[in-house]
Amino acid sequence: MTSIGIIGSQGRMGVALAAAISEAGQRSCGVDRGGSVAKLAASADVLVDFSSPAALEATLDACVAAAKPIVIGTTGLEERHHYLIDDAARDIAVLQTGNTSLGVTLLAHLVREAAARLDPEYDIEIVEMHHRGKVDAPSGTALLLGEAAAAGRGINLATCSERGRDGVTGARGHGKIGFASLRGGTVAGDHDVIFAGPEEMITLSHRAENRMIFARGAVKAALWLIHQKAGRYTMSQVLGLSDRAAAPA
């Protein structure tokens, strides 16, 4: 039986993770604000973190010290957090993703394939909606899908995206990837990737009906990660999907 440690075990995702771990026949343990992440890392076989970017550095330090792998599903990460993850991945196995859903992982693969095969005349727009309490935008999933589209096109998302259009913005930039964020109600997470081409439109979509899809995916990732050597991994690897886009037809 694998012991999976939960960072933020009393939060909404923490509760869902505990249920998913039990469902998978494994054992859960956890820590919350004020508790010792170091003690949790020492006792667990692998950790899962959906807490906050502010706590990530201390969590990574504890995992490296205990030589334990970690799945990071926390969103709102900045560039410096990715540097910290890269550094930790020299010593331990780290899987970081904007979404642990198996369906979203497959969607990202399809988006990358579509972006590679459709020419730049197909404009790419990503629309996401989440509950009123979500604090970051675009969502981590939307950015994950944007990165997949950019990889398919062979472009850099950081320099080829459009966000927050308002007022007289001028015509849409050719080859840009657009983002729109909606907030309201109790929506767990809806995402549409639109390929708007000449006289036709293709939409690839995912609807999250319950947080359990993220929890189950995270548990699958954690059980996979404990068998990996030090390095940085993705959900695509958990499903055995290629991270490389197909060549344009």
Side-chain angles (χ1 to χ4, degrees), residues 67-84:
K68 297 297 174 63
I70 181 171
V71 174
I72 301 170
T74 304
T75 60
L77 300 183
E78 299 174 357
E79 188 175 9
R80 70 180 189 87
H81 295 116
H82 289 285
Y83 286 129
L84 293 171

Side-chain angles (χ1 to χ4, degrees), residues 152-233:
R153 285 276 167 89
I155 59 177
N156 185 344
L157 182 64
T159 57
C160 295
S161 65
E162 292 187 351
R163 307 181 190 180
R165 300 183 183 114
D166 184 38
V168 181
T169 61
R172 186 188 195 283
H174 182 70
K176 298 289 187 178
I177 297 174
F179 290 86
S181 298
L182 311 179
R183 297 288 179 267
T186 58
V187 179
D190 290 352
H191 294 85
D192 295 310
V193 181
I194 302 166
F195 293 85
E199 301 176 347
E200 67 176 350
M201 186 169 69
I202 302 165
T203 302
L204 300 175
S205 303
H206 180 272
R207 300 285 180 266
E209 298 179 359
N210 190 290
R211 285 186 180 83
M212 284 302 293
I213 67 169
F214 310 125
R216 291 189 184 105
V219 171
K220 183 178 180 71
L223 295 175
W224 177 87
L225 194 64
I226 59 175
H227 301 294
Q228 310 308 313
K229 62 182 181 180
R232 186 164 179 168
Y233 298 92

